[in-house]
């Protein structure tokens, strides 16, 4: 029985690629240095999988930024503003597309389906001249082969690539992206031909859009594309891989009807209904790659249950045609549990990171072949039993409080316009008030202080003194810049979710459980293993300290319950909404304590609310109902004069704008600048929004510093569709990843643009 891994984490067990990328970007190391780190990581990954007995080992899943951008490079689909003149695409063009440069902005970045991973959105149109401009897929296959490892090269499928793209600037928004299939398929044929020429026997096309609600036109495009590729693929075994959800019946029919395809990959963790479709009929002689090991969470697999599922599938497709696989790429999980020497032993026994999941996949494959590792299966069963019976998982008081939430929608007592009037009387803000999203640059010195405090190398008194000094510096800078509503800069926080999780019960933390979010950006998701509560106030001391340093309003900064949920590895033994309600009650306690401490503006970030939206429309209303309700629970008890802000990150918000309005926040700040101001189109189409709103005026994920005129132009575009009295001026997101040399001039220009517009508006009266 064979085994397969859809994809693998790229950053390395100790974030080796992250540090190599940042060193290269800062000019401290060469391109060759970066390539060597990457090659060492790939070699280690391939050898690890081969050593575990994996038959179908992926290549070309490694990326210096993201796999969609890699496909854009492969197809030579470089927007003209980057000045690329053909030939093999190098780092300069590649990273300019990803990050922007001194003269041009980056391409749009958005969430990869319903994950916290991001991808760079291709910009396409009828005039794009596609060409085979990156030989990475072939090069990596040859690299692995030289190491004695035969791999399965992985490509983003042509249909998913186009459906994940957007019309370029100046191209009609209604431009049919799928009409470009005829132009990109010749490039795919060139890649396929080269892969065959160097000895590849399998090729994997990732087509995750097949789990979406695709209409018949899109499904036909999918069928037509693979029919067109059929002759080129002759002589190769072809796997079409899907993940993240069930495959709808019509898509399943289209997929399994393809003649040139050898096997199909399905996610049986988040797509268990696909099992019913397979039981109803599976094409004879085809391979089924059964994704039974969760690629998106860190809990140990229930091996006995998975084996039962596989045995049932074996009866349908046959022993020789069943391949045990992960449900998705392991990109979405941490690298190796071996590196967690400080994690509680009991909790550690309940977990499996990427390296352990490879072992699980291969253990299941061997068991199906009649070579079951009884000790491995027994240890797994014992760990599952330990988790189920552990008293640390359950808190009856928390469950009782969460159950009592039923029957109320937890709305504030008055409407938003009444509240905004009361808040303005108290805060006395100018029109177009300026603020930032929360964090300020995390300097090397600041990271050192936190690290030394955690390692007990400095005392609590020394730590508090250092953090207070940093807060004072950030407060004084904002006052000098004349920002209206201040933040304390979050110097005490390494990560917005980790910080709160460390102070909530029911959470566990890793030392090296890093997961890539985009580029070199990594996050370390907390592990929610039990019922959640707040033993003590979490932010009140720091927010009160910051407010005492200024007469201007100081925002209390919290992470909302839905974002804490979606940016954590969540327990899988109860519905997600139940865990979310528990977190909401904990945040509610914190909000009310901040208000009592004199904090009049409280921001409850829901950066990841859109991210958790189910991929299928039939499941979205239920999610939005409990997610929005969870947010309202956090602030339903505050006074009218307390202004509640929320913030949302990179995503497509247009389809959930009514749910955003239903959150009933007083002010929402939201990403806008990097997505060609897509958000504003909602308001142009007539959606009425009465609360305060701050669409981001510049992209903080790029080192580029926007001019005053550029920002003023963005604000004017906003004023064309939004009322003056509700518009806020702010960056897209927090500033922690930027340097002060970038932040100071950018914020100076932002404030200058707001003042320029205030003057123009006043003179126009």
């Amino acid at each position: 029985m064979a085994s397969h891994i859809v994809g693998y984490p790229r950053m390395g067990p100790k974030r080796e690629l992250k540090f190599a990328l940042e060193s290269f970007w800062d000019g401290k190391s060469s391109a060759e240095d970066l390539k060597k780190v990457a090659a060492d990581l790939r070699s280690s990954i391939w050898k690890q999988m081969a050593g575990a007995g994996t038959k179908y080992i992926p290549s070309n899943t490694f990326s210096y930024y993201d796999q969609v951008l890699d496909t854009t490079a492969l197809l030579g689909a470089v927007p003209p503003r980057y000045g690329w003149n053909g030939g093999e695409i190098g780092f300069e063009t590649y990273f300019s597309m990803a990050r922007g440069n001194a003269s041009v902005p980056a391409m749009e970045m958005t969430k990869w389906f319903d994950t916290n991973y991001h991808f760079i959105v291709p910009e396409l149109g009828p005039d794009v001249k596609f060409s085979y401009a990156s030989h990475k897929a072939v090069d990596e296959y040859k690299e692995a082969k030289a190491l004695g490892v035969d791999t399965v090269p992985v490509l983003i499928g042509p249909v998913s690539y186009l459906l994940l793209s957007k019309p370029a600037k100046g191209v009609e928004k209604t431009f049919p992206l799928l009409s470009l299939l005829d132009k990109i398929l010749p490039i795919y044929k060139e890649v396929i031909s080269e892969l065959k020429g160097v000895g590849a026997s399998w090729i994997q096309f990732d087509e995750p859009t097949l789990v979406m609600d695709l209409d018949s036109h899109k499904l036909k495009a999918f069928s037509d594309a693979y029919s067109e590729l059929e002759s080129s693929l002759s002589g190769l075994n072809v796997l079409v891989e899907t993940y993240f959800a069930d495959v709808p019946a019509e898509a399943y029919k289209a997929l399994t009807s393809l003649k040139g395809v050898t096997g199909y990959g399905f996610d049986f963790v988040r797509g268990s209904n696909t099992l019913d479709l397979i039981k109803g009929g599976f094409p004879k002689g085809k391979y089924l790659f059964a994704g039974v090991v969760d690629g998106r969470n860190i809990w140990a697999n229930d091996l006995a249950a998975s084996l039962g599922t596989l045995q049932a599938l074996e009866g349908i497709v046959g022993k020789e045609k069943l391949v045990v696989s992960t449900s998705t790429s392991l990109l979405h999980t941490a690298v190796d549990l071996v590196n967690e020497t400080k994690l509680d032993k009991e909790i550690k026994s309940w977990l499996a990171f990427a390296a352990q999941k490879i072992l699980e996949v291969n253990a299941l494959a061997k068991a199906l072949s009649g070579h079951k590792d009884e000790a491995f299966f027994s240890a797994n069963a014992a760990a599952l039993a330990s988790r189920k019976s552990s008293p640390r998982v359950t808190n009856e008081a928390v469950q009782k409080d969460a159950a009592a939430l039923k029957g109320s929608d937890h709305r504030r007592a008055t409407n938003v316009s009444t509240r905004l009037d009361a808040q303005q009387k108290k805060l006395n803000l100018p029109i177009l008030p300026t603020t930032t999203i929360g964090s300020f640059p995390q300097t090397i010195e600041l990271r050192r202080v936190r690290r030394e405090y955690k390692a007990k190398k400095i005392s609590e008194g020394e730590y508090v003194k250092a953090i207070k000094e940093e807060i004072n510096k950030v407060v004084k800078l904002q006052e000098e810049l004349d920002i209206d509503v201040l933040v304390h800069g979050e110097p005490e926080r390494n990560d917005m979710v980790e910080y709160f999780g460390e102070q909530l019960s029911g959470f566990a933390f890793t030392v090296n459980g890093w997961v890539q979010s985009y580029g070199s950006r990594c996050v370390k998701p907390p592990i929610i293993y039990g019922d959640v509560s707040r033993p003590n106030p979490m932010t009140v001391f720091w927010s009160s300290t910051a407010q005492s340093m200024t007469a201007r309003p100081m925002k209390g900064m919290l992470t909302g319950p839905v974002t804490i949920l979606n940016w954590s590895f969540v327990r899988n033994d109860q519905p997600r909404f139940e865990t979310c309600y528990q977190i909401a009650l904990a945040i509610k306690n914190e909000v009310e304590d901040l208000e009592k401490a004199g904090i009049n503006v409280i921001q409850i970030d829901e950066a990841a609310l859109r991210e958790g939206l189910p991929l299928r429309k039939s499941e979205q209303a239920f999610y939005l109902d409990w997610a929005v309700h969870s947010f309202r629970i956090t602030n339903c008890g505050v006074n009218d004069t307390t202004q509640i802000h929320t913030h949302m990150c990179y995503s497509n918000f247009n389809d959930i704008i009514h749910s955003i309005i239903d959150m009933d926040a007083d002010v929402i700040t939201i990403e806008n600048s990097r997505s060609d101001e897509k958000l504003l189109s909602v308001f142009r189409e007539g959606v009425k929004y009465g609360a305060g709103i701050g669409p981001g005026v510049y992209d903080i994920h790029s080192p580029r510093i926007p001019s005053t005129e550029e920002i003023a132009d963005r604000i004017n575009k906003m004023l064309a569709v939004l009322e003056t009295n509700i518009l806020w001026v702010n960056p897209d997101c927090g500033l922690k990843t930027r340097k002060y040399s970038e932040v100071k001039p950018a914020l100076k220009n932002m404030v200058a643009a707001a003042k320029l517009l205030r003057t123009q508006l006043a003179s126009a009266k």
Side-chain angles (χ1 to χ4, degrees):
M1 188 62 60
S3 55
H4 167 250
I5 305 297
V6 177
Y8 200 78
R10 307 155 182 160
M11 284 290 116
K14 301 285 180 70
R15 295 182 292 163
E16 291 87 345
L17 182 61
K18 168 192 171 64
F19 299 122
L21 282 166
E22 291 173 354
S23 177
F24 174 70
W25 293 336
D26 289 342
K28 295 176 181 175
S29 61
S30 68
E32 292 310 309
D33 293 331
L34 175 57
K35 288 176 182 176
K36 184 178 186 311
V37 171
D40 288 346
L41 285 171
R42 288 193 295 268
S43 171
S44 171
I45 291 164
W46 290 327
K47 288 177 180 177
Q48 179 187 8
M49 287 192 244
T54 310
K55 180 173 181 181
Y56 300 107
I57 296 171
S59 60
N60 199 40
T61 58
F62 178 88
S63 178
Y64 288 105
Y65 212 89
D66 101 80
Q67 71 271 25
V68 180
L69 182 62
D70 291 351
T71 310
T72 294
L74 179 146
L75 296 169
V78 181
R81 65 180 178 274
Y82 298 108
W84 176 66
N85 295 314
E88 188 80 4
I89 289 174
F91 281 158
E92 184 179 353
T93 300
Y94 181 86
F95 288 128
S96 290
M97 289 192 286
R99 306 176 71 236
N101 57 43
S103 57
V104 291
M107 295 167 70
E108 180 186 350
M109 181 168 69
T110 195
K111 294 289 174 75
W112 177 245
F113 295 84
D114 58 347
T115 75
N116 186 30
Y117 181 72
H118 301 67
F119 72 96
I120 302 297
V121 182
E123 302 172 12
L124 304 178
D127 299 327
V128 175
K129 300 287 189 288
F130 295 100
S131 64
Y132 186 10
S134 170
H135 293 68
K136 177 177 171 293
V138 176
D139 291 342
E140 285 191 18
Y141 176 81
K142 287 159 64 179
E143 183 184 325
K145 196 171 184 181
L147 294 168
V149 181
D150 190 31
T151 60
V152 179
V154 180
L155 299 174
I156 297 286
V159 179
S160 288
Y161 177 77
L162 292 177
L163 291 177
L164 293 168
S165 303
K166 69 174 185 177
K169 204 164 188 179
V171 175
E172 286 291 326
K173 298 300 178 192
T174 55
F175 174 72
L177 291 160
L178 287 174
S179 67
L180 297 173
L181 262 177
D182 289 343
K183 293 186 177 182
I184 69 169
L185 289 178
I187 315 298
Y188 275 87
K189 289 178 181 179
E190 286 189 68
V191 183
I192 292 163
S193 175
E194 279 201 14
L195 286 169
K196 284 164 71 172
V198 295
S201 57
W202 278 84
I203 187 168
Q204 175 178 320
F205 292 101
D206 282 5
E207 291 282 10
T209 54
L210 278 170
V211 305
M212 310 287 281
D213 296 305
L214 301 184
D215 59 30
S216 57
H217 169 69
K218 289 171 182 171
L219 288 175
K220 183 176 184 301
F222 173 80
S223 299
D224 290 347
Y226 284 89
S227 293
E228 176 64 26
L229 291 175
E230 189 178 332
S231 59
S232 299
L233 291 167
S234 176
L236 270 177
N237 291 296
V238 180
L239 165 63
V240 178
E241 183 68 51
T242 68
Y243 37 77
F244 298 148
D246 286 304
V247 175
E250 287 304 308
Y252 178 81
K253 183 179 176 184
L255 174 59
T256 54
S257 298
L258 297 176
K259 291 177 184 173
V261 174
T262 317
Y264 315 98
F266 299 110
D267 180 342
F268 291 132
V269 176
R270 294 196 175 212
S272 56
N273 292 338
T274 307
L275 283 167
D276 295 331
L277 294 174
I278 291 169
K279 288 171 185 174
F282 188 80
K284 191 171 182 186
K286 302 291 187 181
Y287 285 83
L288 172 60
F289 286 69
V292 294
V293 172
D294 193 349
R296 289 185 59 174
N297 216 328
I298 44 67
W299 303 106
N301 188 270
D302 184 338
L303 294 178
S306 293
L307 188 58
T309 299
L310 291 165
Q311 286 167 338
L313 290 169
E314 189 179 57
I316 299 168
V317 305
K319 186 183 285 286
E320 298 306 314
K321 298 298 182 182
L322 183 62
V323 180
V324 184
S325 182
T326 55
S327 63
T328 69
S329 169
L330 297 176
L331 171 70
H332 308 290
T333 189
V335 178
D336 195 344
L337 202 52
V338 169
N339 297 316
E340 301 306 325
T341 55
K342 296 180 180 178
L343 193 59
D344 177 275
K345 284 185 179 178
E346 182 183 30
I347 293 172
K348 188 175 179 179
S349 74
W350 304 342
L351 308 178
F353 290 180
Q356 288 68 48
K357 290 176 186 293
I358 290 172
L359 298 178
E360 290 179 336
V361 166
N362 284 288
L364 287 165
K366 287 170 186 171
L368 274 175
S369 300
H371 304 289
K372 185 177 179 183
D373 185 335
E374 295 293 350
F376 192 84
F377 271 72
S378 294
N380 173 262
L384 295 176
S386 157
R387 182 180 170 207
K388 194 171 185 179
S389 62
S390 176
R392 67 202 305 174
V393 171
T394 307
N395 183 324
E396 289 184 8
V398 170
Q399 293 191 352
K400 185 178 178 183
D401 288 344
L405 292 170
K406 292 171 184 170
S408 170
D409 61 4
H410 297 91
R411 293 183 184 276
R412 291 172 75 178
T414 53
N415 64 39
V416 69
S417 60
T418 302
R419 300 196 308 263
L420 288 173
D421 287 344
Q423 292 155 15
Q424 179 58 17
K425 284 174 186 171
K426 187 162 191 171
L427 299 173
N428 193 28
L429 298 171
I431 62 166
L432 307 180
T434 54
T435 191
T436 65
I437 304 305
S439 60
F440 265 65
Q442 300 262 318
T443 62
I444 293 171
E445 174 63 18
L446 184 56
R447 293 179 192 276
R448 181 191 64 78
V449 167
R450 283 202 307 262
R451 192 168 57 247
E452 290 187 353
Y453 176 58
K454 217 163 193 177
K456 297 186 168 65
K457 290 181 180 178
I458 60 173
S459 68
E460 184 174 2
E462 289 172 309
Y463 171 73
V464 169
K465 181 174 180 286
I467 297 297
K468 280 184 176 179
E469 287 172 358
E470 183 70 19
I471 291 172
N472 190 53
K473 183 178 86 173
V474 169
V475 170
K476 293 291 178 278
L477 172 61
Q478 291 172 93
E479 288 183 330
E480 287 167 17
L481 292 167
D482 205 17
I483 291 173
D484 300 305
V485 176
L486 310 190
V487 298
H488 76 291
E490 304 177 10
E492 78 285 13
R493 308 178 194 181
N494 179 58
D495 177 87
M496 61 189 284
V497 174
E498 183 179 14
Y499 176 79
F500 290 98
E502 285 177 336
Q503 300 180 78
L504 295 168
S505 64
F507 282 74
F509 293 87
T510 64
V511 174
N512 290 298
W514 297 98
V515 178
Q516 185 182 19
S517 179
Y518 61 87
S520 68
R521 169 85 169 130
C522 297
V523 294
K524 191 148 55 84
I527 298 164
I528 305 177
Y529 67 84
D531 291 333
V532 178
S533 63
R534 185 198 74 147
N536 298 296
M538 301 180 286
T539 65
V540 176
F541 173 76
W542 296 118
S543 292
S544 301
T545 298
Q547 184 64 81
S548 71
M549 296 174 178
T550 182
R552 300 186 185 211
M554 175 63 63
K555 283 198 278 193
M557 300 300 305
L558 304 175
T559 302
V562 185
T563 296
I564 290 176
L565 183 89
N566 285 336
W567 284 358
S568 298
F569 290 125
V570 183
R571 57 190 294 190
N572 58 359
D573 59 345
Q574 70 176 16
R576 287 172 72 88
F577 70 85
E578 290 185 15
T579 303
C580 199
Y581 284 153
Q582 293 177 0
I583 303 169
L585 286 170
I587 300 299
K588 180 177 187 287
N589 293 337
E590 187 71 12
V591 167
E592 291 170 3
D593 280 350
L594 282 168
E595 185 182 55
K596 287 172 192 168
I599 304 300
N600 297 314
V601 182
I602 302 171
Q603 182 170 307
I604 309 166
D605 286 345
E606 282 297 11
L609 187 139
R610 174 64 174 76
E611 177 184 309
L613 189 71
L615 300 176
R616 305 287 289 283
K617 289 191 175 93
S618 60
E619 300 167 13
Q620 291 176 358
F622 177 66
Y623 166 79
L624 288 169
D625 180 63
W626 63 255
V628 169
H629 187 190
S630 295
F631 177 82
R632 289 201 306 264
I633 288 168
T634 64
N635 60 87
C636 62
V638 300
N639 297 320
D640 284 0
T641 51
T642 297
Q643 190 167 84
I644 299 296
H645 288 224
T646 191
H647 170 68
M648 293 187 170
C649 284
Y650 292 91
S651 241
N652 182 6
F653 302 106
N654 296 23
D655 54 350
I656 63 162
I657 191 68
H658 293 289
S659 294
I660 292 173
I661 293 169
D662 199 37
M663 291 170 73
D664 199 27
D666 298 311
V667 178
I668 179 169
T669 53
I670 198 162
E671 185 277 325
N672 174 67
S673 68
R674 197 164 177 175
S675 57
D676 290 335
E677 296 153 350
K678 255 190 295 194
L679 174 70
L680 299 185
S681 66
V682 171
F683 304 110
R684 290 190 195 102
E685 290 159 11
V687 171
K688 298 299 179 189
Y689 192 77
I693 184 167
V697 297
Y698 79 90
D699 175 21
I700 66 89
H701 290 91
S702 170
R704 185 172 168 273
I705 298 163
S707 66
T708 298
E709 294 72 24
E710 184 182 329
I711 294 174
D713 181 57
R714 286 190 183 278
I715 298 170
N716 268 321
K717 287 179 180 176
M718 296 170 192
L719 288 170
V721 292
L722 294 165
E723 296 295 328
T724 308
N725 64 337
I726 66 169
L727 186 62
W728 285 64
V729 177
N730 47 263
D732 262 348
C733 206
L735 305 169
K736 68 184 290 184
T737 60
R738 301 266 57 89
K739 300 169 184 172
Y740 272 106
S741 60
E742 299 158 348
V743 165
K744 288 179 183 178
L747 290 180
K748 182 181 177 183
N749 292 348
M750 183 187 83
V751 173
K755 289 181 175 179
L756 175 67
L757 269 294
R758 287 173 196 160
T759 302
Q760 291 176 359
L761 289 167
S763 63
K765 284 184 179 179

